[in-house]
Amino acid sequence: TLGHDVGDELLRQVSQRLSECVRLGDTIARQGGDEFIVLLDALDDGRGASLVAQKILNVAPPAGTAPGRPRRCPCRPRARPSQ
C-alpha cells in the first residue's frame, strides 16, 4: 500500500472533486473505505442524475496520479431513484 497519508490525501481530493459536481443543497457522504454516496435533491427527471454522473466521471482521478506510484482509482457511478 501507499500508506495512510497518501490514502487520506486521495480521499480529500476525491471529495473536493465530487463537491464541484453537485449543487449546494445536494449531499456527499463517504460510506466507508473508498466509497462515496451522492444524494441529489429535487431532480425533475433522470437527465439531471445523468449529467451529474458524467461530471463525476470527467473529474475522477485517472490511474497513476498518486504521488510517485501508479494505482487504480475506479469510478463507477450508479443511479437509483428514491421511492
Side-chain angles (χ1 to χ4, degrees):
T1 70
L2 299 176
H4 290 290
D5 292 341
V6 172
D8 290 346
E9 179 58 29
L10 177 61
L11 291 172
R12 280 190 288 276
Q13 288 178 16
V14 169
S15 64
Q16 177 61 40
R17 291 176 185 198
L18 289 174
S19 68
E20 294 169 0
C21 296
V22 298
R23 302 165 298 176
L24 189 57
D26 296 331
T27 301
I28 300 168
R30 181 172 164 219
Q31 183 175 356
D34 60 356
E35 295 181 349
F36 288 84
I37 294 174
V38 178
L39 301 174
L40 305 174
D41 191 35
L43 291 177
D44 293 332
D45 57 33
R47 285 186 305 154
S50 294
L51 290 171
V52 171
Q54 188 58 56
K55 286 181 183 179
I56 290 170
L57 287 171
N58 290 343
V59 301
T65 58
R69 295 214 174 129
R71 55 112 184 98
R72 288 181 34 129
C73 186
C75 182
R76 298 179 193 98
R78 296 178 188 99
R80 183 172 55 173
S82 62
Q83 301 296 332

